[in-house]
Short mmCIF file of all heavy atoms in Angstrom, two decimals:
data_model
loop_
_atom_site.label_atom_id
_atom_site.label_comp_id
_atom_site.label_asym_id
_atom_site.label_seq_id
_atom_site.Cartn_x
_atom_site.Cartn_y
_atom_site.Cartn_z
N SER A 16 -52.50 -82.27 -66.97
CA SER A 16 -53.97 -82.47 -67.09
C SER A 16 -54.45 -81.07 -67.72
O SER A 16 -53.90 -80.09 -67.83
CB SER A 16 -54.66 -82.81 -65.72
OG SER A 16 -54.49 -81.62 -64.87
N LEU A 17 -55.62 -81.38 -68.35
CA LEU A 17 -56.46 -80.19 -68.84
C LEU A 17 -57.71 -80.08 -68.18
O LEU A 17 -58.42 -80.96 -68.08
CB LEU A 17 -56.64 -80.34 -70.40
CG LEU A 17 -57.51 -79.20 -71.01
CD1 LEU A 17 -56.76 -77.95 -71.04
CD2 LEU A 17 -57.70 -79.63 -72.47
N ASP A 18 -57.95 -78.86 -67.64
CA ASP A 18 -59.20 -78.52 -66.85
C ASP A 18 -60.00 -77.48 -67.58
O ASP A 18 -59.44 -76.50 -68.07
CB ASP A 18 -58.84 -78.00 -65.47
CG ASP A 18 -60.13 -77.57 -64.80
OD1 ASP A 18 -60.93 -78.45 -64.46
OD2 ASP A 18 -60.29 -76.44 -64.48
N VAL A 19 -61.30 -77.81 -67.91
CA VAL A 19 -62.11 -76.75 -68.68
C VAL A 19 -63.30 -76.56 -67.75
O VAL A 19 -64.03 -77.49 -67.53
CB VAL A 19 -62.62 -77.23 -69.95
CG1 VAL A 19 -63.45 -76.22 -70.66
CG2 VAL A 19 -61.26 -77.51 -70.85
N SER A 20 -63.52 -75.34 -67.23
CA SER A 20 -64.65 -75.02 -66.40
C SER A 20 -65.48 -73.95 -66.95
O SER A 20 -64.96 -73.05 -67.67
CB SER A 20 -64.19 -74.50 -65.07
OG SER A 20 -63.40 -75.47 -64.40
N GLY A 21 -66.80 -74.06 -66.76
CA GLY A 21 -67.78 -73.15 -67.28
C GLY A 21 -68.70 -72.64 -66.26
O GLY A 21 -69.13 -73.52 -65.51
N ASN A 22 -69.17 -71.42 -66.30
CA ASN A 22 -70.12 -70.99 -65.37
C ASN A 22 -71.27 -70.20 -66.12
O ASN A 22 -70.98 -69.50 -67.13
CB ASN A 22 -69.55 -69.93 -64.38
CG ASN A 22 -68.37 -70.50 -63.59
OD1 ASN A 22 -68.10 -71.58 -63.67
ND2 ASN A 22 -67.67 -69.57 -62.95
N TYR A 23 -72.45 -70.24 -65.67
CA TYR A 23 -73.54 -69.60 -66.30
C TYR A 23 -74.56 -69.11 -65.19
O TYR A 23 -75.01 -69.89 -64.32
CB TYR A 23 -74.35 -70.38 -67.21
CG TYR A 23 -75.43 -69.89 -67.84
CD1 TYR A 23 -75.23 -68.73 -68.85
CD2 TYR A 23 -76.84 -70.23 -67.57
CE1 TYR A 23 -76.39 -68.02 -69.29
CE2 TYR A 23 -77.81 -69.67 -68.17
CZ TYR A 23 -77.64 -68.49 -69.04
OH TYR A 23 -78.71 -67.89 -69.68
N ASN A 24 -74.79 -67.79 -65.11
CA ASN A 24 -75.71 -67.33 -64.08
C ASN A 24 -76.72 -66.40 -64.87
O ASN A 24 -76.17 -65.32 -65.43
CB ASN A 24 -74.90 -66.51 -62.97
CG ASN A 24 -75.82 -66.13 -61.79
OD1 ASN A 24 -76.95 -65.86 -62.04
ND2 ASN A 24 -75.20 -66.07 -60.68
N SER A 25 -77.90 -66.61 -64.78
CA SER A 25 -78.88 -65.85 -65.61
C SER A 25 -79.82 -65.09 -64.43
O SER A 25 -80.82 -64.54 -64.81
CB SER A 25 -79.66 -66.76 -66.48
OG SER A 25 -80.46 -67.62 -65.86
N TRP A 26 -79.47 -64.95 -63.23
CA TRP A 26 -80.33 -64.49 -62.23
C TRP A 26 -80.33 -63.02 -62.10
O TRP A 26 -79.43 -62.35 -62.15
CB TRP A 26 -80.09 -65.05 -60.88
CG TRP A 26 -79.68 -66.48 -60.78
CD1 TRP A 26 -78.63 -67.01 -60.05
CD2 TRP A 26 -80.38 -67.59 -61.28
NE1 TRP A 26 -78.58 -68.35 -60.22
CE2 TRP A 26 -79.68 -68.84 -60.98
CE3 TRP A 26 -81.55 -67.71 -62.05
CZ2 TRP A 26 -80.07 -70.04 -61.23
CZ3 TRP A 26 -81.93 -69.04 -62.47
CH2 TRP A 26 -81.25 -70.14 -62.13
N THR A 27 -81.60 -62.54 -62.04
CA THR A 27 -81.78 -61.08 -61.46
C THR A 27 -82.63 -61.23 -60.33
O THR A 27 -83.75 -61.96 -60.40
CB THR A 27 -82.52 -60.27 -62.64
OG1 THR A 27 -81.69 -60.27 -63.69
CG2 THR A 27 -82.82 -58.85 -62.23
N PHE A 28 -82.32 -60.67 -59.15
CA PHE A 28 -82.89 -60.85 -57.94
C PHE A 28 -83.89 -59.65 -57.77
O PHE A 28 -83.55 -58.46 -57.81
CB PHE A 28 -81.95 -60.88 -56.84
CG PHE A 28 -81.07 -62.08 -56.95
CD1 PHE A 28 -79.86 -61.90 -57.49
CD2 PHE A 28 -81.39 -63.37 -56.48
CE1 PHE A 28 -78.91 -62.93 -57.60
CE2 PHE A 28 -80.49 -64.34 -56.55
CZ PHE A 28 -79.37 -64.25 -57.20
N PHE A 29 -85.20 -59.94 -57.65
CA PHE A 29 -86.22 -59.03 -57.41
C PHE A 29 -86.51 -58.72 -55.92
O PHE A 29 -86.37 -59.80 -55.13
CB PHE A 29 -87.43 -59.38 -58.21
CG PHE A 29 -87.25 -59.44 -59.65
CD1 PHE A 29 -87.04 -60.52 -60.38
CD2 PHE A 29 -87.11 -58.08 -60.40
CE1 PHE A 29 -86.88 -60.58 -61.72
CE2 PHE A 29 -86.98 -58.19 -61.75
CZ PHE A 29 -86.76 -59.33 -62.48
N PRO A 30 -87.01 -57.65 -55.32
CA PRO A 30 -87.44 -56.55 -56.19
C PRO A 30 -86.31 -55.44 -56.49
O PRO A 30 -86.60 -54.56 -57.09
CB PRO A 30 -88.51 -55.92 -55.24
CG PRO A 30 -87.99 -56.32 -53.93
CD PRO A 30 -87.41 -57.64 -53.93
N ASP A 31 -85.22 -55.66 -55.85
CA ASP A 31 -84.19 -54.63 -55.99
C ASP A 31 -83.37 -54.71 -57.31
O ASP A 31 -82.71 -53.76 -57.50
CB ASP A 31 -83.25 -54.72 -54.84
CG ASP A 31 -82.54 -56.13 -54.74
OD1 ASP A 31 -82.77 -56.93 -55.65
OD2 ASP A 31 -81.72 -56.27 -53.72
N GLY A 32 -83.58 -55.62 -58.12
CA GLY A 32 -82.99 -55.67 -59.38
C GLY A 32 -81.51 -56.14 -59.37
O GLY A 32 -80.89 -55.93 -60.44
N MET A 33 -81.02 -56.62 -58.31
CA MET A 33 -79.68 -57.01 -58.21
C MET A 33 -79.34 -58.09 -59.37
O MET A 33 -80.04 -59.06 -59.52
CB MET A 33 -79.38 -57.60 -56.92
CG MET A 33 -77.98 -57.95 -56.74
SD MET A 33 -77.45 -58.45 -55.05
CE MET A 33 -78.36 -59.99 -54.86
N SER A 34 -78.39 -57.88 -60.18
CA SER A 34 -77.99 -58.85 -61.30
C SER A 34 -76.59 -59.34 -61.15
O SER A 34 -75.69 -58.49 -60.87
CB SER A 34 -78.12 -58.01 -62.51
OG SER A 34 -77.77 -58.78 -63.59
N LEU A 35 -76.51 -60.65 -61.34
CA LEU A 35 -75.15 -61.29 -61.34
C LEU A 35 -74.95 -62.12 -62.64
O LEU A 35 -74.39 -63.08 -62.71
CB LEU A 35 -75.00 -62.30 -60.19
CG LEU A 35 -75.00 -61.66 -58.84
CD1 LEU A 35 -75.08 -62.69 -57.71
CD2 LEU A 35 -73.76 -60.89 -58.54
N ARG A 36 -75.70 -61.63 -63.74
CA ARG A 36 -75.78 -62.45 -64.95
C ARG A 36 -74.39 -62.44 -65.63
O ARG A 36 -73.77 -61.41 -65.89
CB ARG A 36 -76.85 -61.89 -65.89
CG ARG A 36 -78.18 -62.04 -65.24
CD ARG A 36 -79.25 -61.60 -66.28
NE ARG A 36 -79.06 -60.16 -66.55
CZ ARG A 36 -80.00 -59.34 -66.75
NH1 ARG A 36 -81.26 -59.78 -66.54
NH2 ARG A 36 -79.71 -58.07 -66.95
N HIS A 37 -73.98 -63.72 -66.02
CA HIS A 37 -72.75 -63.75 -66.74
C HIS A 37 -72.56 -65.19 -67.24
O HIS A 37 -73.19 -66.13 -66.79
CB HIS A 37 -71.46 -63.42 -65.71
CG HIS A 37 -71.30 -64.44 -64.69
ND1 HIS A 37 -71.91 -64.43 -63.51
CD2 HIS A 37 -70.48 -65.52 -64.67
CE1 HIS A 37 -71.53 -65.30 -62.78
NE2 HIS A 37 -70.66 -66.13 -63.37
N VAL A 38 -71.59 -65.41 -68.24
CA VAL A 38 -71.16 -66.57 -68.78
C VAL A 38 -69.60 -66.53 -68.54
O VAL A 38 -68.97 -65.50 -69.13
CB VAL A 38 -71.60 -66.74 -70.29
CG1 VAL A 38 -70.97 -67.96 -70.89
CG2 VAL A 38 -73.01 -66.91 -70.34
N LEU A 39 -69.07 -67.47 -68.08
CA LEU A 39 -67.60 -67.55 -67.96
C LEU A 39 -67.04 -68.89 -68.36
O LEU A 39 -67.54 -69.94 -67.96
CB LEU A 39 -67.20 -67.30 -66.43
CG LEU A 39 -65.86 -67.55 -65.97
CD1 LEU A 39 -64.88 -66.46 -66.57
CD2 LEU A 39 -65.68 -67.46 -64.54
N VAL A 40 -65.91 -68.80 -69.13
CA VAL A 40 -65.21 -70.11 -69.46
C VAL A 40 -63.73 -69.90 -69.10
O VAL A 40 -63.11 -68.97 -69.34
CB VAL A 40 -65.28 -70.35 -71.07
CG1 VAL A 40 -64.46 -71.59 -71.30
CG2 VAL A 40 -66.72 -70.39 -71.44
N GLN A 41 -63.22 -70.99 -68.37
CA GLN A 41 -61.80 -70.94 -67.88
C GLN A 41 -61.14 -72.20 -68.12
O GLN A 41 -61.23 -73.21 -67.33
CB GLN A 41 -61.74 -70.62 -66.47
CG GLN A 41 -61.40 -69.18 -66.04
CD GLN A 41 -61.13 -68.94 -64.63
OE1 GLN A 41 -61.68 -69.62 -63.77
NE2 GLN A 41 -60.39 -67.98 -64.41
N PRO A 42 -60.37 -72.31 -69.26
CA PRO A 42 -59.55 -73.49 -69.44
C PRO A 42 -58.24 -73.35 -68.77
O PRO A 42 -57.68 -72.30 -68.56
CB PRO A 42 -59.32 -73.55 -70.94
CG PRO A 42 -59.54 -72.12 -71.43
CD PRO A 42 -60.48 -71.59 -70.49
N GLU A 43 -57.66 -74.52 -68.36
CA GLU A 43 -56.43 -74.48 -67.54
C GLU A 43 -55.43 -75.75 -67.84
O GLU A 43 -56.08 -76.90 -67.87
CB GLU A 43 -56.59 -74.38 -66.12
CG GLU A 43 -55.40 -74.35 -65.27
CD GLU A 43 -55.59 -74.10 -63.75
OE1 GLU A 43 -56.56 -74.68 -63.22
OE2 GLU A 43 -54.90 -73.20 -63.26
N PHE A 44 -54.31 -75.48 -68.18
CA PHE A 44 -53.33 -76.57 -68.43
C PHE A 44 -52.65 -76.71 -67.06
O PHE A 44 -52.02 -75.68 -66.64
CB PHE A 44 -52.42 -76.27 -69.57
CG PHE A 44 -51.34 -77.32 -69.75
CD1 PHE A 44 -51.79 -78.49 -70.38
CD2 PHE A 44 -50.11 -77.10 -69.48
CE1 PHE A 44 -50.81 -79.45 -70.71
CE2 PHE A 44 -49.06 -78.14 -69.73
CZ PHE A 44 -49.45 -79.32 -70.32
#
């Protein structure tokens, strides 16, 4: 099988400015 996964996080948490922003792509055979 072929698995293709994608993640997208655009959040910045206020008021402390904590950031987890990213784009991730992970294909797997």
Side-chain angles (χ1 to χ4, degrees):
S16 67
L17 176 65
D18 175 62
V19 179
S20 298
N22 304 353
Y23 178 70
N24 190 328
S25 63
W26 316 132
T27 298
F28 299 93
F29 294 104
D31 57 4
M33 183 171 71
S34 172
L35 295 170
R36 294 184 301 220
H37 67 277
V38 173
L39 170 67
V40 178
Q41 257 187 336
E43 181 174 44
F44 181 74

